[in-house]
Amino acid sequence: MLDFTYLVPTKVLFGRNTIERLSEELKTFGKRILIVYGKGSIKKNGIYDSVTTLLRRNSVTYHELSGVQPNPRISSVRQGIARCREHDIDGIIAIGGGSVIDCAKTIAAGFYYEGDPWDLFVLGDSAIKQALPIGTVLTMTGTGSEMNGNAVISNEDTEQKLAIHHSVLRPRFSILDPTYTFTVPTHHIAAGTIDIFSHILEQYFSPTKDAFVQNRIAEALLLTCVNYGPLAIKQPKNYEARAQLMWTSSLALNGLLGYGRITDWATHGIEHAVSAAYDVTHGVGLAILTPHWMDYVLTEETTDKFVEYAQNVWKITGRDTHTIARKGIMKTQKFFTSLGMPTTLRAVGVKEEKLTDIAEKTVMYKPIGKFKRLEKNDVLIILQNAF
Ligand code: NZQ
Ligand code: ZN
């Protein structure tokens, strides 16, 4: 176990109708709020009306930034910062999934930064000093953004998708009402479940050997995805399935699994470069790439970790450790395809001639991966295998 400081300050209001506690939480935010949302799902399912009715009832003045796209763009962030400055905004409420929340977080940090907000992604986390307070109303599970200090933004001009991380970006509160996810389409339930699964794997496949408690928690969360992902797809209004996935999504990436050990994040690094170039849904990209990352990093040295995974998550038995490890990888891919995910990059429109460029972008600032360090050529092989 490595040393760490545990700090997860987001207040989580979990359950049906927790939206009613929104105004109480906003008391410390001030009177002028920016609400940020996506392309319209919250208007169709009534969440927009619930939030704005509450704001009006409590005399909170609000302005809006709508139209945030999946794989949110830096141009939306720029627009949001301008709106905050124009209306002297005190705090932000993000109503949506990871894209909306990440856009809101970057607006919150960019508000206090004099230059262009994209600089924050290039200069690194130390460029962030302060942020407006953020609260979230989560409408889709997967990213864990509702409880962490990360934001991932795409830049259309440079074809990059980069992340920032800072404690000031952690939401002050998050409203997690599982019924708000009842209307999420099947494709996004599947993608979100795989995103959760991948967040857990990125921390589970760690070079830190002594992480017993982290590993057992991780396995419990992986099993929750395996149990409840398919159920949520079959029965979209199954409250328990949605609730289990929602809480697993938050726990998978709020720091809990990563504290006390080194984490990997190579598959995410590659996926972000793919979705920067082709606007692929994040969870879909991960479904395609994860089994190939596993195949590539499975060596004599790493077999034991794969055996631990295969035995504890997929209940695979046998004598030959390499066979057990391989079966664990096959089970992983089968789980993803059972949720309707494609298995090749070609199937989501990626062109072969672009793979080298994607590999270069993946390692543009430094090699990726801590479980196994990957340079440009390693990434290229994984991409070619996944093609
Ligand atoms: O735009 P609207 O109309 O709201 O539709 C959205 C969007 O089309 C729809 N949706 C959301 N809630 C819904 C709903 N449709 C019906 N009913 C509802 N209740 O779902 C679509 C996808 O939404 P999006 O926010 O893009 O999905 P997700 O939550 O998976 O976020 C993905 C983004 O988060 C980043 C990804 O890279 C990607 O850009 N990530 C953020 C992380 C973080 N901040 O910690 C970590 C992750 O690894 C990830 O990289
Ligand atoms: Zn992810």
Side-chain angles (χ1 to χ4, degrees):
M1 177 95 75
L2 307 178
D3 298 347
F4 62 89
T5 303
Y6 181 87
L7 181 69
V8 185
T10 302
K11 185 181 201 178
V12 173
L13 304 164
F14 194 100
R16 289 185 178 92
N17 301 321
T18 38
I19 194 69
E20 281 160 17
R21 290 157 67 188
L22 177 67
S23 40
E24 183 189 317
E25 294 309 317
L26 283 179
K27 277 186 188 145
T28 58
F29 273 43
K31 281 281 170 201
R32 290 173 302 273
I33 298 295
L34 181 74
I35 60 174
V36 180
Y37 56 96
K39 295 181 97 181
S41 69
I42 65 162
K43 291 208 166 160
K44 282 194 210 123
N45 58 24
I47 298 173
Y48 174 87
D49 284 342
S50 306
V51 174
T52 52
T53 305
L54 272 166
L55 294 177
R56 281 197 300 273
R57 203 185 295 153
N58 289 281
S59 310
V60 176
T61 306
Y62 64 89
H63 297 272
E64 302 189 11
L65 177 74
S66 61
V68 175
Q69 289 164 277
N71 296 326
R73 313 295 199 266
I74 194 69
S75 47
S76 302
V77 173
R78 292 184 185 121
Q79 241 183 308
I81 294 170
R83 207 147 297 171
C84 285
R85 290 181 179 154
E86 184 191 344
H87 299 292
D88 205 11
I89 291 294
D90 298 313
I92 304 179
I93 309 174
I95 314 167
S99 296
V100 167
I101 300 174
D102 288 2
C103 181
K105 286 175 175 175
T106 315
I107 294 168
F111 179 79
Y112 288 108
Y113 181 76
E114 281 185 10
D116 185 71
W118 185 248
D119 295 351
L120 300 173
F121 293 84
V122 178
L123 293 172
D125 304 336
S126 60
I128 301 169
K129 304 287 179 216
Q130 214 182 336
L132 287 168
I134 311 160
T136 84
V137 178
L138 188 66
T139 67
M140 123 142 218
T141 54
T143 66
S145 190
E146 66 277 8
M147 227 179 148
N148 68 39
N150 312 333
V152 188
I153 297 291
S154 296
N155 184 328
E156 311 90 307
D157 299 329
T158 60
E159 278 194 5
Q160 284 174 295
K161 186 179 185 187
L162 299 177
I164 46 174
H165 320 81
H166 203 287
S167 56
V168 296
L169 299 178
R170 284 196 193 252
R172 302 271 175 101
F173 68 86
S174 279
I175 291 175
L176 269 55
D177 181 341
T179 66
Y180 281 13
T181 65
F182 282 177
T183 53
V184 174
T186 305
H187 172 74
H188 283 296
I189 305 172
T193 302
I194 289 158
D195 194 18
I196 303 170
F197 202 88
S198 170
H199 295 159
I200 305 165
L201 295 179
E202 297 274 23
Q203 299 169 89
Y204 185 81
F205 284 94
S206 160
T208 311
K209 299 269 186 245
D210 297 318
F212 185 90
V213 66
Q214 293 94 327
N215 286 332
R216 301 297 82 77
I217 298 171
E219 286 157 4
L221 297 182
L222 289 170
L223 287 169
T224 310
C225 295
V226 174
N227 276 320
Y228 288 101
L231 188 58
I233 289 173
K234 245 185 259 150
Q235 300 171 9
K237 295 199 173 167
N238 184 317
Y239 181 85
E240 198 50 29
R242 296 296 199 161
Q244 292 290 335
L245 288 174
M246 196 171 230
W247 189 222
T248 302
S249 150
S250 302
L251 293 178
L253 199 53
N254 70 357
L256 177 70
L257 298 180
Y259 285 122
R261 65 167 153 198
I262 296 166
T263 53
D264 188 70
W265 297 107
T267 315
H268 266 67
I270 305 172
E271 197 292 323
H272 285 163
V274 170
S275 55
Y278 287 98
D279 202 16
V280 171
T281 299
H282 177 58
V284 175
L286 293 170
I288 297 166
L289 292 165
T290 300
H292 294 285
W293 171 83
M294 287 180 154
D295 263 339
Y296 191 74
V297 304
L298 171 61
T299 59
E300 216 169 290
E301 227 186 359
T302 61
T303 302
D304 286 352
K305 187 69 201 175
F306 278 94
V307 170
E308 183 184 350
Y309 167 67
Q311 288 178 334
N312 294 348
V313 177
W314 299 110
K315 314 298 174 218
I316 292 164
T317 54
R319 288 216 176 139
D320 179 55
T321 53
H322 187 76
T323 310
I324 297 172
R326 290 275 326 130
K327 282 188 178 166
I329 298 174
M330 276 149 60
K331 277 277 194 184
T332 309
Q333 191 170 47
K334 220 168 156 194
F335 173 56
F336 295 164
T337 51
S338 76
L339 297 179
M341 289 292 116
T343 54
T344 63
L345 291 171
R346 189 188 289 118
V348 292
V350 176
K351 298 274 176 275
E352 197 168 8
E353 57 271 23
K354 190 84 180 168
L355 297 183
T356 307
D357 183 45
I358 294 172
E360 257 160 31
K361 291 253 169 71
T362 306
V363 297
M364 188 166 175
Y365 299 106
K366 53 179 184 322
I368 52 162
K370 296 281 167 51
F371 182 66
K372 189 166 196 297
R373 182 185 155 103
L374 305 177
E375 309 275 352
K376 182 188 149 190
N377 256 345
D378 304 302
V379 174
L380 185 58
I381 295 169
I382 292 171
L383 286 165
Q384 284 165 339
N385 292 343
F387 184 71

